[in-house]
């Protein structure tokens, strides 16, 4: 009987841990993931309306512009129609990117591929949107952690 109780306790602990939304550590900034988002990894979350994924680029590689080559490779693999350049802020820091329209008719239809540096950490940021983001009021609280437009 004691073994069964122990097994049940371990099962509940493990299953609760798997379902819990772990906060992201985004360049040293803790960001809670809302319940309506699925955490894919410590670097990626998604919902039907928005996806975010980032890659940390080591300082020496970022300083030598290797991140620009990485961004070009991501854009090449994207197979999407370029719409425009886009400037925005992530955590109050300027990011520069490109906006693409995907071939998909449902789900994530737009993607922004960008790069910048937060807290001394180089980042490549890959944001996906179901609807074209034009202004901050188009974004939910979670999205606003990763992208805000100038007024």
């Amino acid at each position: 009987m004691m073994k069964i109780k122990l097994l049940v306790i371990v099962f509940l602990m493990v299953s609760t841990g798997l379902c819990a939304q772990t906060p992201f550590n985004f360049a040293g900034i803790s960001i809670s993931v809302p319940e309506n988002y699925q955490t894919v990894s410590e670097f990626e979350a998604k919902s039907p309306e928005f996806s975010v994924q980032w890659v940390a680029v080591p300082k020496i590689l970022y300083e030598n512009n290797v991140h620009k080559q990485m961004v070009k490779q991501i854009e090449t693999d994207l197979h999407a129609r370029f719409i425009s350049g886009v400037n925005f802020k992530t955590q109050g820091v300027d990011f520069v990117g490109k906006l693409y329209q995907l071939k998909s008719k449902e789900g994530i239809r737009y993607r922004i591929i960008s790069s910048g540096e937060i807290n001394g950490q180089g980042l490549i940021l890959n944001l996906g949107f179901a609807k074209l983001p034009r202004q901050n009021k188009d974004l939910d609280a979670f999205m606003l952690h990763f992208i805000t437009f100038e007024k």
Side-chain angles (χ1 to χ4, degrees):
M1 186 67 167
M2 183 64 160
K3 287 182 184 179
I4 293 174
K5 286 182 182 179
L6 186 59
L7 277 171
V8 169
I9 291 170
V10 170
F11 174 77
L12 289 173
M13 288 173 56
V14 170
S15 64
T16 302
L18 291 174
C19 296
Q21 296 290 349
T22 306
F24 282 141
N25 180 359
F26 182 66
I29 301 163
S30 182
I31 299 174
S32 296
V33 179
E35 289 183 18
N36 59 325
Y37 281 85
Q38 175 188 6
T39 303
V40 178
S41 73
E42 62 184 299
F43 306 103
E44 183 177 4
K46 65 181 182 178
S47 76
E49 298 295 315
F50 177 71
S51 68
V52 58
Q53 179 182 42
W54 70 88
V55 176
V57 180
K59 189 171 183 79
I60 188 75
L61 296 178
Y62 193 84
E63 289 171 349
N64 288 303
N65 293 318
V66 172
H67 67 286
K68 291 180 181 178
Q69 295 169 16
M70 295 169 71
V71 167
K72 283 184 182 183
Q73 183 62 50
I74 293 168
E75 291 170 342
T76 300
D77 294 343
L78 196 54
H79 302 293
R81 184 175 67 88
F82 172 76
I83 295 178
S84 67
V86 61
N87 296 323
F88 59 93
K89 291 192 181 285
T90 296
Q91 296 294 320
V93 176
D94 291 329
F95 266 60
V96 176
K98 294 179 183 174
L99 173 65
Y100 293 89
Q101 183 173 14
L102 306 176
K103 295 178 182 178
S104 171
K105 300 291 184 202
E106 296 179 14
I108 302 298
R109 299 185 58 216
Y110 300 93
R111 189 144 316 268
I112 294 175
I113 310 296
S114 62
S115 62
E117 189 174 350
I118 297 177
N119 294 332
Q121 175 67 63
L123 295 170
I124 296 173
L125 193 55
N126 182 343
L127 304 173
F129 300 88
K131 296 177 183 169
L132 183 62
R134 297 184 189 276
Q135 51 192 335
N136 293 337
K137 72 176 188 175
D138 297 335
L139 307 172
D140 68 26
F142 184 65
M143 294 175 191
L144 289 169
H145 286 289
F146 303 99
I147 181 169
T148 56
F149 298 105
E150 293 286 323
K151 305 225 185 267

